[in-house]
Amino acid sequence: SKGEKVFNDILTTSNKIQLLPDGVDNNGKPKSSYFLEDVKADHRVSDFAKRFYEKIFGKDINKSEFETAVNDLKAEKGTLGHSDIENAFEVYVDPITGLLRETPLDDEGYISQLNPRDNSMYEVLKDNLQERLNSFSEGTRFLSEVKIFDKKRKTAGTVDFLAITPDGKVNILDWKFMDLNTDRYEDVPWYKVKAWDIQMKKYKDII
């Protein structure tokens, strides 16, 4: 099917992309870059969201809030919650075909990375993931932690979740874990929503 071809093409490219040590950043901290064959990505998708924060800094948010926003942007990819979702994904999805397993794997012995003493949050994440997986049509193929690369623009990144329907349509999801200051906000701050929109558009453009 067209969906299977799209799945195989994306997976093949992802497996060729490497994330390798690449010197230090402006703060002297070790950094890594994406490489596809002999081409190095000069930009990460998350860089565009950070630039958006830098653009509005001093206008709509104060310095401490700006720093928090940038730090959250970094943490949202490295959170332990992603590890829990990755495990749940393996429970439900065959990594070779990308199709849902006929029988989910037994994860009774799994210890949550979010809270090693209590698996309740993991179970919530797993149930949410299962609901999302089942919302797609039969024959949809799924990928997790997919590396993508735009050679022309030398931009790369890692997508948390892709769902590829039998007709070849690609659906993109990006997991976000964040603290919300409910004393100040009733909903996610507008600038975070805008930054996420920027990231999703870049992912779409690359794919």
Side-chain angles (χ1 to χ4, degrees):
S1 68
K2 186 175 181 180
E4 183 177 6
K5 182 181 185 307
V6 173
F7 169 85
N8 288 329
D9 288 347
I10 292 175
L11 182 59
T12 298
T13 300
S14 179
N15 289 336
K16 292 179 180 178
I17 300 170
Q18 295 180 291
L19 187 58
L20 303 173
D22 188 30
V24 297
D25 61 19
N26 294 333
N27 297 317
K29 296 181 179 179
K31 70 172 185 176
S32 56
S33 296
Y34 288 92
F35 292 83
L36 176 55
E37 297 167 342
D38 59 343
V39 180
K40 171 185 170 181
D42 295 329
H43 315 284
R44 291 190 179 205
V45 170
S46 57
D47 292 341
F48 295 92
K50 184 177 179 181
R51 287 172 196 162
F52 166 72
Y53 285 148
E54 292 170 344
K55 183 178 180 181
I56 65 171
F57 172 53
K59 296 180 180 179
D60 300 297
I61 55 177
N62 60 40
K63 183 176 181 180
S64 62
E65 197 164 357
F66 165 74
E67 292 172 344
T68 299
V70 173
N71 288 336
D72 284 349
L73 183 66
K74 298 175 182 176
E76 282 156 4
K77 278 294 183 185
T79 179
L80 297 175
H82 279 78
S83 297
D84 278 354
I85 293 179
E86 269 295 286
N87 190 81
F89 185 87
E90 293 175 8
V91 168
Y92 294 120
V93 178
D94 184 316
I96 304 300
T97 65
L99 298 170
L100 291 180
R101 298 181 188 274
E102 291 187 9
T103 303
L105 298 180
D106 180 5
D107 64 343
E108 184 177 352
Y110 178 72
I111 298 175
S112 170
Q113 300 298 300
L114 275 173
N115 186 350
R117 296 180 298 277
D118 184 357
N119 267 27
S120 59
M121 285 188 288
Y122 167 70
E123 292 297 333
V124 170
L125 291 173
K126 190 173 76 166
D127 289 346
N128 180 273
L129 177 63
Q130 184 182 36
E131 184 177 343
R132 291 180 183 275
L133 293 169
N134 289 336
S135 70
F136 291 95
S137 59
E138 184 177 355
T140 295
R141 297 173 188 267
F142 304 97
L143 286 166
S144 179
E145 295 296 312
V146 186
K147 295 186 288 294
I148 57 176
F149 199 110
D150 182 338
K151 278 190 173 183
K152 183 178 179 181
R153 298 178 178 85
K154 293 187 177 180
T155 300
T158 300
V159 182
D160 291 335
F161 176 95
L162 291 180
I164 305 161
T165 58
D167 62 0
K169 180 181 178 182
V170 179
N171 300 267
I172 307 169
L173 292 179
D174 199 51
W175 313 128
K176 298 297 184 186
F177 293 80
M178 59 176 290
D179 292 323
L180 180 65
N181 184 350
T182 54
D183 292 331
R184 183 166 185 179
Y185 300 106
E186 294 183 359
D187 202 347
V188 179
W190 68 269
Y191 55 85
K192 288 200 171 195
V193 175
K194 178 63 176 178
W196 296 340
D197 285 344
I198 290 171
Q199 282 186 270
M200 295 301 285
K201 184 178 185 305
K202 289 296 180 184
Y203 288 144
K204 181 180 178 181
D205 289 344
I206 295 174
I207 292 174

